[in-house]
Amino acid sequence: YQRRVHGTLSECLFFFEMIWLFLVLAVLNASEARKFSLEIEPEDRQVIHVKSFGFLGNGKSNCTIIITEFKWYVHNKVSGWSPSEAVPGKPIGFALEPRDTKNSARLEENVRYPSGQCFAYWERKDRIVLTLPSVAPVIEKTAEFPIFTNVTEDAPQVYDISELIKPGFLSLFFFNCNENTRFSFTIEVIQYNMHDGVKNFLGVGETYLPLSYGLFGALYFLFFFLWIFMMVKHRSRVHKIHYLMALLVFLKALSLALEAGHLQVIAKFGYGKLYADLPYYLVYSVKAVLLFFVILLVGTGWSFIKPFLSDNEKKIMLVVVPLVLMDSIAIIIEDTVNEGEAAWSTWRDIRRILDVVACCAVLLPVVWSIRTLREATAADGKAARSLVRLRQFRTFYAVLVAYIYYTRIVVPLIRSALHWQVTWVAPVSEELGALIFYVVTGIKFRPMEDNPYLSLQQEDFDDISLRAELEMQGDIGQVSASAPDHEVKRPPKKESP
């Protein structure tokens, strides 16, 4: 038995070590990934959303596009797909045009145009295009610049269109109106605004995000010291879970401070630096794992109601923690892979699936604890005390569901609907929701002498622990029916072999 347990633990540790290795490699690979350079291998997408940016305009913005490779391919039966030097029949190139939100720009990739129509044939205002010379022109364009297929990395084509930029949220698209053809290109985009003579590579609406995250970080550091003060003042009521909650608040504060620094580096240089990216992503990942871990422990009543975890609760732990780690890896890759790459949408969908599964799984222990306490309230003679704990768990469950619903559903809807000048509202709203969740949970489970949830006696540990164990085995009905109202019959302990 000991060998089997040891083997299982070794396998679990090896699994977690591999996930952490992938996490570190993802962070290292993210170094300087914010410097926007998109390389597309031969493919056949009709429209690609390359990048969106909020411009101040009026001479205060820069937009430079550098093309180091551009080819289009036709297919023949002898050589297959090969680069073509012929003049395409329909437009193929890039278009910079206004959009209301980034979400509306992303949806452009999913549009299916009728036969004979394409992206370049739809009327758009203030459109700036870069195209290969073609038989059919692009309609409704403010300015047009030619692209040539003989460009190389040593002899690139550089387009400085800063003077044409007006205030607004502009999205850069690649389009190909020629059916049964492919393309490949390598492009670098440099976009920034000038604030009091200083370059800022964050778009309008994102300029004050570093300050916002810094203020939230300072607020969490204040809460951390307040929590430590309460633990020292009421040390007789401090449980192991309180130390984990203190560590969680500290990591949350540190994560926000590092995110502020991470964005400040991007605002200054236009891309991330390893010294800013590595600490931020690692601390963020550890914080995310610890958040779900603490929620699971609080939901099971560990160290508050019972000093152990049931087998089902341990299984949930072994499922949720790897999911959160893999979700962190997906977030890092989604954050650092350029949006125009086909892999970006794949990692975004993977991240959403992992997050939904982890959020659903983390609710199960709370539901089990509520059911166990409901049985305890009806079965024993300490109904009043059990009822108080039941209400506490129901409150925690309601707050947890509200937090998950708000951050996973409401905030993305807010983000997709916001005007380009106030995109900062979505992340600030998300942090406000997280702050409320932390404060309410802290108040409910703080180490206080008069906290009825923490006023447990040894018999409470014994009774509720036994009920939880028997309930998982499906025997709670039999025990409750056969035992008196004030007592739970305990099976005899088995002697160890």
Side-chain angles (χ1 to χ4, degrees):
Y1 175 77
Q2 292 179 349
R3 291 177 181 176
R4 186 169 66 251
V5 172
H6 184 268
T8 303
L9 291 175
S10 300
E11 292 175 359
C12 292
L13 289 175
F14 176 76
F15 178 71
F16 287 127
E17 288 173 359
M18 292 299 298
I19 293 179
W20 276 113
L21 177 61
F22 281 119
L23 181 64
V24 173
L25 290 177
V27 174
L28 293 176
N29 185 59
S31 177
E32 301 193 0
R34 285 280 185 160
K35 186 174 183 179
F36 194 91
S37 178
L38 180 61
E39 181 177 353
I40 299 295
E41 298 294 334
E43 59 173 278
D44 57 0
R45 282 184 287 174
Q46 287 187 324
V47 179
I48 298 176
H49 173 232
V50 178
K51 189 181 182 183
S52 295
F53 193 81
F55 290 96
L56 287 174
N58 299 323
K60 298 180 181 180
S61 301
N62 176 84
C63 183
T64 303
I65 301 174
I66 304 171
I67 300 177
T68 58
E69 180 191 359
F70 195 95
K71 299 182 184 298
W72 74 291
Y73 300 80
V74 295
H75 186 270
N76 61 67
K77 296 180 180 180
V78 178
S79 59
W81 291 101
S82 59
S84 176
E85 298 295 335
V87 176
K90 297 180 180 179
I92 175 173
F94 299 91
L96 185 69
E97 55 188 56
R99 283 292 188 275
D100 293 328
T101 64
K102 184 175 288 188
N103 190 56
S104 64
R106 290 170 178 166
L107 291 176
E108 192 72 48
E109 294 185 353
N110 300 324
V111 175
R112 294 295 177 262
Y113 295 95
S115 178
Q117 297 293 322
C118 78
F119 176 87
Y121 294 161
W122 289 72
E123 295 184 3
R124 304 285 167 82
K125 294 181 179 179
D126 300 324
R127 172 188 275 172
I128 303 171
V129 296
L130 289 70
T131 61
L132 282 176
S134 59
V135 176
V138 178
I139 64 173
E140 288 292 328
K141 52 186 180 290
T142 302
E144 183 174 7
F145 301 90
I147 298 176
F148 303 101
T149 57
N150 60 350
V151 294
T152 63
E153 190 173 351
D154 297 327
Q157 284 184 278
V158 181
Y159 305 88
D160 187 352
I161 55 177
S162 304
E163 295 181 356
L164 301 174
I165 299 299
K166 298 180 180 179
F169 189 73
L170 303 184
S171 298
L172 180 64
F173 297 95
F174 171 83
F175 61 88
N176 179 18
C177 296
N178 299 274
E179 298 178 358
N180 300 319
T181 61
R182 293 184 177 181
F183 56 85
S184 66
F185 62 83
T186 302
I187 184 174
E188 182 179 343
V189 183
I190 303 173
Q191 297 172 324
Y192 58 82
N193 295 311
M194 300 295 295
H195 293 271
D196 299 325
V198 179
K199 295 180 181 179
N200 192 317
F201 288 88
L202 295 177
V204 176
E206 300 176 339
T207 305
Y208 299 106
L209 278 181
L211 177 61
S212 301
Y213 284 123
L215 292 176
F216 274 110
L219 191 58
Y220 275 99
F221 274 120
L222 179 62
F223 289 158
F224 169 72
F225 289 115
L226 179 62
W227 187 262
I228 295 298
F229 171 77
M230 294 177 63
M231 290 176 63
V232 173
K233 184 177 180 181
H234 305 281
R235 59 173 59 93
S236 62
R237 288 295 178 182
V238 173
H239 295 263
K240 295 178 182 178
I241 190 67
H242 289 128
Y243 293 101
L244 290 176
M245 295 172 81
L247 179 60
L248 174 60
V249 175
F250 174 78
L251 288 178
K252 176 66 174 178
L254 183 60
S255 174
L256 287 169
L258 291 173
E259 186 168 7
H262 166 73
L263 290 175
Q264 189 61 43
V265 168
I266 294 175
K268 182 177 181 180
F269 298 103
Y271 51 87
K273 294 285 189 177
L274 184 61
Y275 63 80
D277 289 352
L278 184 60
Y280 163 62
Y281 284 120
L282 289 180
V283 172
Y284 173 85
S285 302
V286 175
K287 183 267 301 179
V289 173
L290 186 60
L291 172 62
F292 277 82
F293 191 67
V294 169
I295 290 175
L296 285 169
L297 292 178
V298 171
T300 60
W302 177 79
S303 87
F304 287 136
I305 292 181
K306 57 186 181 182
F308 68 93
L309 297 174
S310 68
D311 290 339
N312 286 344
E313 291 165 349
K314 292 176 182 178
K315 291 176 183 178
I316 291 293
M317 292 278 188
L318 292 177
V319 170
V320 171
V321 173
L323 282 176
V324 177
L325 282 174
M326 290 186 289
D327 181 52
S328 299
I329 295 174
I331 288 175
I332 294 172
I333 296 176
E334 179 191 356
D335 195 32
T336 55
V337 169
N338 290 324
E339 193 167 327
E341 298 183 25
W344 183 86
S345 59
T346 302
W347 282 105
R348 178 196 59 188
D349 295 338
I350 291 174
R351 188 228 353 132
R352 288 176 176 175
I353 293 172
L354 292 174
D355 191 52
V356 168
V357 174
C359 289
C360 292
V362 83
L363 293 173
L364 290 178
V366 188
V367 175
W368 293 340
S369 296
I370 291 175
R371 187 174 59 181
T372 302
L373 284 172
R374 187 184 295 116
E375 294 287 348
T377 302
D380 61 26
K382 299 178 286 296
R385 192 156 54 239
S386 297
L387 183 60
V388 171
R389 298 171 199 147
L390 178 59
R391 289 173 179 171
Q392 289 283 66
F393 264 108
R394 283 176 174 171
T395 302
F396 176 67
Y397 178 78
V399 172
L400 180 58
V401 170
Y403 169 70
I404 293 174
Y405 178 81
Y406 179 77
T407 55
R408 270 61 179 180
I409 297 178
V410 176
V411 171
L413 291 176
I414 294 174
R415 183 179 286 110
S416 65
L418 283 174
H419 189 266
W420 62 277
Q421 291 180 315
V422 290
T423 52
W424 57 269
V425 171
V428 169
S429 300
E430 185 174 5
E431 292 304 328
L432 283 174
L435 181 64
I436 294 173
F437 173 73
Y438 276 72
V439 170
V440 173
T441 304
I443 291 175
K444 289 293 181 181
F445 301 103
R446 66 193 185 278
M448 295 286 289
E449 295 293 341
D450 59 345
N451 192 332
Y453 184 68
L454 306 181
S455 302
L456 301 179
Q457 302 174 6
Q458 183 60 39
E459 61 188 52
D460 298 325
F461 278 111
D462 297 338
D463 288 350
I464 297 180
S465 299
L466 178 61
R467 253 185 206 93
E469 182 178 359
L470 293 175
E471 186 180 20
M472 296 308 166
Q473 299 173 359
D475 297 331
I476 186 65
Q478 179 181 353
V479 173
S480 299
S482 60
D485 293 340
H486 64 280
E487 180 183 5
V488 176
K489 292 184 179 180
R490 308 177 189 281
K493 296 183 178 179
K494 296 183 180 179
E495 296 182 358
S496 57

